[in-house]
Amino acid sequence: MAVALPTIEIEHPALPRPMRFPDFANWEEPQREGDRVITFREALREAMTNAMREDERVFLLGEEVAEYNGAYKVSQGMLEEFGPKRIIDTPISENGFAGMAIAAAMAGLKPIVEFMSWSFSLVAADQILNNAPKMLYMSGGQWGCPIVFRGNDGAGGQLGSTHSWCVEGLYSNVPGVKIAIPSNPLDAKGLLRTAIADPDPVFFLESERMLGDTMHVPEEDYFIPFGRARLAREGGDCTLVSFGRPVHFCMEAAEALAKDGIEADVLDMRTIRPLDIEAIVRSVKMTNRVVVVDQCWPFASVASEVVTQIVEHAFDWLDHQPVRVNTADVPTPYAKGLEAAYLPNANRIIEAVKGVVG
Amino acid sequence: MPRTVAYKAQIEHLSVLDENGKLDAALAKKLGKDLLGDEQVLMAYEHMTVCRQYDEVAFRLQRSGRMGTFPQNKGQEAVAIGSALAARKGQDWLVPAYRENAALFLHGLPMHSVLVYWMGDERGSQIPQGVKITPLSVPIGTHMLHAAGIAWASKIRKEDSVTLTYFGDGATSEGDFHEAANFAGVLQVPCIFICQNNSWAISVPREKQTASETFAQKALAYGIPTIQVDGNDLFAVYAATREAHERARKGGGPSFIEAVTYRLADHTTADDASRYRDTKELDAWKAKDPLIRLRRYLEKQDLWSDEQQEALEAKAKAIVQEVVKAAEEMPKPEITDIFDYTFAEIPESLRVQRDTMRTTSLGQDPRQAGLGARAGR
Ligand SMILES: Cc1ncc(C[n+]2csc(CCOP(=O)(O)OP(=O)(O)O)c2C)c(N)n1
Ligand SMILES: [Mg+2]
């Protein structure tokens, strides 16, 4: 049986009640015999379902979310439980339903908007970038926008240039949004729960590549706070910073590097806005070397920001210039071999780490 | 002041060839005695049959893991062929979405290109010189603006060219459609909007897509002449497109055609339509299959026999076999190809990435970057 999590309560004026958070950032419960194991998509569904059971203001809308159970089956069965008033199929009008949902959030509801793919959020750019994140600011603090936009983000599934966007590079530039990118089912549930409760707009990025990943996830409700990275592995020779799917590439690289006597810290950022720069700096001050792995394009990417902040905060502790591992600086290729060559992978990370450690 | 009528309109529905292959001869005559000659109908039928075979084979390729996803044209061939026949190959532009293969082939896109594309290879979108077709566009709706833009360009350049663009019922919910239609109307550009209303956008039925009685009436709001046609009727689609085409060439601006049809296949190979579509509905539409009715028509005209059908089916199989072979024999792309088309001329930073195939920030091995570990640390 899962053990109850130690939690702390956090209060916020916009929350109906104090939120419960695990009281340590790097909690990972060892899996035990008989523990419940669920998939990433089930973890997401559980977070939404729990939030909807608890709070009538929460509802889900998007293309194919109801009858079809979601393009990636994340909302399977939710129409049955909550009915068509709260699980809403929309016409193919991303700009339309994003804007309408923003209005619903302003009017006191708590919408979860599913983009079949974050690639399609680009046609709703004005609403999600120019409206949602600025509403509170422009209304002098009167009108918040407690909304979650979520969906599949990133390449790897051979979907071609237009459907393989990693929007975090572009969107994280905008003040007023929070961006969560979980790398595993446990985090997915806790982070999505927090996202829905959050009083501000949250972009929640899931990788279609990981939706089938399984893990022990406690049945009870829990929240994982934003801006608290998880130390996925302790090394000491080099810090690997990543978020989302590439965390797994980092772990793979770290295990391989360990065989060569190089031990890496692996930090899973969980959210990039807010960014837990303290956790990064703490690790870098011990390892003095850092490689940032990011599946966005390199120019002005999240990795660029992380490196900048490391230089700002820990310049004197660095024994080697920080290195970024991004995708190639080209549109996402469609062909299988080309797409693989374009993405960051364990080998590239190993090479980069050896470069900074050697 | 009394209430007066500020605007009044109605939507015409055109149907010439019925489900049993019976042609409304009087209407056909009225539409022009050269509506579609026997030779053209035979050619269209052959082409449609080849495309149907192409669809079936593509589906099997996907099922056996030799292709990614594939959106079938099955059941909607009359819209594609009827409209493409009314346009001039190599002179008029086709701006497709992804479900009108038959039209593209008729206008010179090599058949294997589309397979290559869906097998996951951009080279499938390399359109041969002289073929006036833009690459398949999967982001819903965005290509309609390109169509309006291409038509605008041909108007400015005084070129004798009309642009046809294809899209689904679902695509009319995107803002892009409305913006494209508005521009086309305001600028009076030679553009024909062909809405393939197949009743479904993946699992979303048309009633959930729009409260409009017809899709055709949406064009009225933009001052665009509009009509609804039986989309499984080659003659009706052809007649409507030809009329729109003539109007466009005479400087009469854009037109809208709602072709009422049905996809007899799943949305794509990644879908299972039986989960949301009623089999009764599907069966009813199977009876309206554009191929069946065209064959019946040809038989009634004594233009077609069972032997010819057999020969055609064999020919279709042979053609598609060749096409698949051509697609599969395409040499694998080089890994370094990914760097070739980002800019007209490859910049230094990308050249380094290409030469080293390293996508670290330095584009090269950090140890050799000349900026390595600081001495004395
Ligand atoms: C901007 C955008 N939103 C969503 C999608 C996902 N999508 C692909 S096809 C499709 C349905 C399109 O329906 P319709 O326009 O009726 O064309 P049909 O497939 O029926 O021919 C959807 C929602 C997409 N490709 N692009
Ligand atoms: Mg449709």
Side-chain angles (χ1 to χ4, degrees), chain B residues 97-337:
Chain B
Y98 50 82
R99 202 186 290 291
E100 40 284 336
N101 298 334
L104 312 183
F105 301 152
L106 201 66
H107 276 238
L109 187 71
M111 289 179 83
H112 73 281
S113 292
V114 173
L115 290 185
V116 169
Y117 175 78
W118 290 111
M119 281 171 174
D121 190 331
E122 266 89 12
R123 289 175 300 178
S125 294
Q126 284 174 336
I127 317 275
Q129 277 298 319
V131 175
K132 290 197 153 178
I133 298 176
T134 53
L136 300 189
S137 175
V138 189
I140 299 298
T142 55
H143 65 296
M144 292 182 255
L145 287 157
H146 307 161
I150 290 171
W152 191 15
S154 52
K155 180 176 173 174
I156 291 169
R157 291 177 177 155
K158 297 194 167 51
E159 283 169 355
D160 177 14
S161 177
V162 177
T163 302
L164 279 68
T165 184
Y166 297 89
F167 52 93
D169 42 294
T172 63
S173 297
E174 292 280 16
D176 302 50
F177 160 68
H178 299 271
E179 296 178 30
N182 190 48
F183 265 112
V186 168
L187 299 166
Q188 287 293 293
V189 301
C191 184
I192 306 176
F193 292 89
I194 299 168
C195 176
Q196 310 195 66
N197 170 14
N198 62 10
S199 265
W200 293 89
I202 314 184
S203 81
V204 179
R206 77 168 304 299
E207 314 81 69
K208 278 198 184 177
Q209 203 67 245
T210 180
S212 270
E213 281 299 308
T214 67
F215 285 91
Q217 75 204 58
K218 289 177 188 275
L220 288 176
Y222 303 107
I224 298 180
T226 182
I227 189 171
Q228 186 188 63
V229 303
D230 178 345
N232 286 6
D233 170 353
L234 181 78
F235 291 84
V237 176
Y238 177 77
T241 314
R242 193 172 66 168
E243 201 177 293
H245 191 266
E246 275 166 14
R247 183 163 43 238
R249 285 187 69 195
K250 284 192 197 131
S255 300
F256 185 99
I257 298 169
E258 173 189 353
V260 182
T261 181
Y262 197 80
R263 66 170 151 80
L264 293 177
D266 296 329
H267 169 67
T268 65
T269 43
D271 174 39
D272 172 10
S274 68
R275 287 186 41 242
Y276 53 85
R277 282 196 323 198
D278 191 10
T279 36
K280 272 199 221 116
E281 182 184 289
L282 178 64
D283 289 342
W285 279 96
K286 274 185 182 159
K288 299 183 194 175
D289 188 326
L291 262 77
I292 296 177
R293 79 170 74 168
L294 210 53
R295 181 176 170 183
R296 285 189 184 140
Y297 167 78
L298 289 170
E299 283 167 355
K300 279 196 206 340
Q301 306 291 308
D302 277 335
L303 291 167
W304 203 248
S305 63
D306 289 351
E307 294 74 54
Q308 275 169 298
Q309 179 69 23
E310 230 169 84
L312 172 59
E313 279 168 18
K315 185 171 141 193
K317 276 194 183 126
I319 291 174
V320 174
Q321 219 167 29
E322 280 305 302
V323 166
V324 172
K325 211 168 129 219
E328 293 199 316
E329 276 175 1
M330 185 111 174
K332 275 213 156 57
E334 293 292 328
I335 295 289
T336 50
D337 287 358

